[in-house]
Amino acid sequence: MQHTLIAASGASLVALRWWAMGFASPIFQPEDNPAAFINSTLQRAINYQYIYTLNSWLMVNPHWLCFDWSMGCIPLINEITDPRVLAPLLFWLITGLLIWRALHPTHKGCHLSRDQRVIMLSLAWVIIPFLPASNLFFTVGFVIAERMLYLPSLGCATLVALGFRRLLSAASASQFLRLVLYGCLSWMLGMYSLKTWERSGEWVSENRLFLSGLRVCPLNAKVHYNIAKTAADSGDGDTAILHYQMALRLNPMYEQAMNNLANLLKDRGHLDMAHSLLLDATRIRPRFAAAWMNLGIVQASLGQYAEAEASYKAALALRARYPDCFYNLGNLTSRRDCMTETPAIDWVGSAWEPGNLSPPMRCEAISRAHLREARGEQGGYIERGEKEAAYYAWRNATALKPTHAVAWTNLLILLDNNGDLEGAVLVGQEALRHLPDDPGIHFNLGNTLGKKGDFLQSEKHFLLAIKHRPSAPNYYANLGVLYHRWKRYGDAEQAYKKALVLNPGFRSAQENLDKLYRVIAP
């Protein structure tokens, strides 16, 4: 009954896993497991045996440890004259001797001795847990996975313990030999402990882990890719570019590396190189949604607006729930997520006179300048008059990703620019339910409320914006304009001066301060 229950539980787990995979085998690329894609059955078998040998060696001597063994980490054996062919022969010789020792009776009768049963159990611990990684029943998506050696290592440790016990028994007559054996065991345990400590240190951070992989597998393109990605995330663009280029030299079809390298080159202004890389990435992998979106961003930067729109739509056809792509489709900008707060512009216009304040001019100026800056003067939907298309694109972005701050900001400014102040306020309030501490939303909502004449609420949101980003001079400048129109001249003066402390060259803040002094001059 117990065995039946265990078997049923195992079958249920297998069925659950198969259901989670959609009752279909995963699709792997040649880079994931190069040996599995060799056409010759004999050559494929030889490479599999070599991989088994390496796995066994890693259990005995875990000197070469790498987080990823794919993409050229282990060169294939293509010729029978390759000296590495001898390694599998030695491996099977040792394995065969262990099996023979376990099955061959050492005395009359058919019963196995205790040592033989231990060897059998140890071999079972080594072989059975490793079978899923053996490529015998199905192709796996890795070359060597060190996690697959956790359970087999129990069998290996048991064999070592059995061997040590047999050696102690053989040296029972010599106290010196027994001391030597205990010394060797202590040394081995000490070395394994030091290796464990060293390896644990390498897992402390991604950077250390990836660099450790480079020492073991310098020909692995994925190792260089991960080092580059970590370097890019930490702001070291030069190192990132160097390793992305190395990854592409090792694997010229590495579309992920092309995509990421293109993004770095785009940010440095090398648009033609980025464009070429992204075109190659989409040709190599036509269903690469991120590459299509990034291609659209670069095309928009190059002024290829129709092509950019087509690329964005290609990305959305591949990934319907893609908020960043909806955002970029909305403004066709050369910068991803570039819709941030605009520098303060004279809220009352260049022809300001005391008592003739005009909030609509200020908010319209903010919106137009903001949109121009965000697009980089590149004919997006707004510039082409397709405001409704931009609205729905940004609405889709916020629906799919409610924390997409720049999409909310664009919506607020678009509605404000169209004169729909109530709609802009409602959008701002909705955005703050998802992003209550976002300074940009508070800032732009404060602008809209100021345009409506709701000075009290406008002040509230400007102060919240300043609280969350106290180093933004335009926040103080616009707060000063609000106080200026509210005739709170002392507060306006302090706000303008604070803006000028943060940015001494802030022209509009200086001009508004000069106008304020003319108003309050006796």
Side-chain angles (χ1 to χ4, degrees):
M1 182 62 183
Q2 184 180 9
H3 293 164
T4 303
L5 182 60
I6 293 174
S9 300
S12 299
L13 290 174
V14 171
L16 181 63
R17 174 64 174 172
W18 191 245
W19 171 78
M21 294 168 59
F23 301 101
S25 299
I27 299 174
F28 300 116
Q29 302 298 320
E31 295 82 7
D32 299 324
N33 186 0
F37 289 84
I38 298 175
N39 293 324
S40 169
T41 303
L42 175 61
Q43 188 179 348
R44 186 167 61 252
I46 292 173
N47 279 276
Y48 282 162
Q49 308 312 306
Y50 182 64
I51 291 171
Y52 302 159
T53 305
L54 285 178
N55 277 282
S56 301
W57 180 247
L58 287 176
M59 281 196 298
V60 176
N61 179 23
H63 178 63
W64 301 323
L65 295 177
C66 185
F67 68 93
D68 188 278
W69 291 81
S70 62
M71 289 196 179
C73 195
I74 302 176
L76 294 175
I77 297 176
N78 296 313
E79 302 291 340
I80 197 67
T81 56
D82 193 316
R84 290 178 295 165
V85 172
L86 298 175
L89 296 177
L90 180 61
F91 164 73
W92 282 112
L93 175 63
I94 296 173
T95 304
L97 288 173
L98 285 171
I99 295 173
W100 177 84
R101 178 67 181 83
L103 298 178
H104 183 70
T106 56
H107 51 79
K108 293 181 180 180
C110 300
H111 298 291
L112 297 177
S113 67
R114 179 189 175 190
D115 285 358
Q116 288 176 306
R117 291 195 298 271
V118 171
I119 293 174
M120 288 288 290
L121 181 60
S122 300
L123 289 175
W125 271 340
V126 170
I127 295 171
I128 294 174
F130 183 74
L131 285 177
S134 65
N135 290 285
L136 291 177
F137 305 109
F138 46 81
T139 300
V140 297
F142 53 83
V143 179
I144 292 177
E146 292 162 11
R147 61 186 179 276
M148 298 302 299
L149 300 179
Y150 293 159
L151 288 177
S153 65
L154 293 175
C156 182
T158 306
L159 287 172
V160 171
L162 175 62
F164 182 73
R165 188 174 67 84
R166 293 294 298 272
L167 288 172
L168 280 180
S169 178
S172 58
S174 173
Q175 184 66 22
F176 174 75
L177 288 178
R178 291 173 65 87
L179 289 174
V180 170
L181 288 173
Y182 278 115
C184 290
L185 179 63
S186 300
W187 177 83
M188 182 181 69
L189 292 176
M191 290 298 101
Y192 280 128
S193 299
L194 287 174
K195 183 62 180 178
T196 301
W197 177 78
E198 178 189 34
R199 188 59 175 165
S200 298
E202 291 171 348
W203 277 86
V204 166
S205 68
E206 285 188 333
N207 188 52
R208 292 180 64 179
L209 178 64
F210 297 151
L211 289 174
S212 72
L214 187 61
R215 292 192 295 271
V216 177
C217 293
L219 300 181
N220 188 338
K222 190 177 288 188
V223 170
H224 289 280
Y225 171 87
N226 280 287
I227 293 173
K229 191 171 183 299
T230 304
D233 291 342
S234 64
D236 189 355
D238 293 335
T239 298
I241 289 173
L242 178 66
H243 282 280
Y244 278 136
Q245 290 173 338
M246 178 60 73
L248 288 172
R249 278 197 289 271
L250 293 170
N251 181 9
M253 304 293 284
Y254 201 169
E255 76 283 357
Q256 286 278 7
M258 292 178 184
N259 177 68
N260 291 8
L261 177 58
N263 282 336
L264 287 173
L265 294 173
K266 174 202 69 178
D267 292 341
R268 295 189 171 203
H270 303 302
L271 297 178
D272 290 334
M273 295 172 64
H275 184 259
S276 176
L277 285 166
L278 289 167
L279 283 176
D280 288 342
T282 54
R283 279 195 291 265
I284 293 169
R285 184 175 155 196
R287 300 188 62 80
F288 193 176
W292 281 110
M293 184 191 73
N294 290 327
L295 178 60
I297 293 172
V298 172
Q299 288 168 331
S301 301
L302 292 170
Q304 301 172 4
Y305 309 126
E307 292 87 345
E309 186 172 355
S311 296
Y312 289 144
K313 290 180 177 179
L316 291 170
L318 296 169
R319 190 193 300 176
R321 300 180 63 82
Y322 204 170
D324 287 334
C325 195
F326 277 114
Y327 164 75
N328 285 306
L329 181 61
N331 55 7
L332 286 180
T333 178
S334 65
R335 289 173 182 253
R336 185 177 179 183
D337 294 352
C338 67
M339 273 291 200
T340 56
E341 303 76 39
T342 195
I345 301 172
D346 178 8
W347 205 350
V348 296
S350 58
W352 179 87
E353 291 181 4
N356 186 26
L357 305 181
S358 178
M361 289 180 62
R362 167 56 184 150
C363 260
E364 184 175 356
I366 289 178
S367 299
R368 288 178 178 172
H370 194 153
L371 292 168
R372 282 199 304 272
E373 180 184 346
R375 286 193 315 269
E377 299 294 350
Q378 297 166 13
Y381 279 147
I382 301 300
E383 204 165 78
R384 286 153 41 189
E386 300 177 26
K387 296 180 180 180
E388 186 176 359
Y391 174 84
Y392 284 113
W394 289 327
R395 260 299 177 187
N396 276 323
T398 57
L400 293 172
K401 186 180 178 182
T403 56
H404 203 307
V406 286
W408 284 116
T409 302
N410 285 9
L411 280 169
L412 197 161
I413 293 174
L414 176 62
L415 293 171
D416 185 296
N417 192 44
N418 287 342
D420 186 1
L421 302 184
E422 290 296 334
V425 170
L426 289 175
V427 164
Q429 292 171 344
E430 182 182 357
L432 289 174
R433 286 198 290 273
H434 300 287
L435 297 160
D437 299 327
D438 186 89
I441 295 173
H442 281 293
F443 171 74
N444 285 289
L445 181 55
N447 286 333
T448 301
L449 290 165
K451 184 175 180 180
K452 284 186 63 182
D454 190 346
F455 294 163
L456 191 61
Q457 286 298 311
S458 177
E459 178 191 30
K460 169 188 170 183
H461 287 285
F462 277 135
L463 291 176
L464 286 170
I466 290 170
K467 174 185 175 183
H468 295 299
R469 190 176 294 167
S471 61
N474 52 327
Y475 290 7
Y476 290 97
N478 282 25
L479 178 62
V481 172
L482 173 70
Y483 288 145
H484 197 153
R485 296 182 60 219
W486 206 347
K487 301 188 186 310
R488 291 171 55 177
Y489 297 135
D491 292 332
E493 180 183 11
Q494 294 301 316
Y496 288 143
K497 286 182 175 180
K498 181 64 175 179
L500 290 168
V501 167
L502 293 171
N503 180 7
F506 203 157
R507 183 178 56 82
S508 62
Q510 184 63 58
E511 290 175 354
N512 284 339
L513 182 60
D514 293 341
K515 293 173 184 176
L516 176 66
Y517 286 149
R518 288 199 295 271
V519 170
I520 63 178

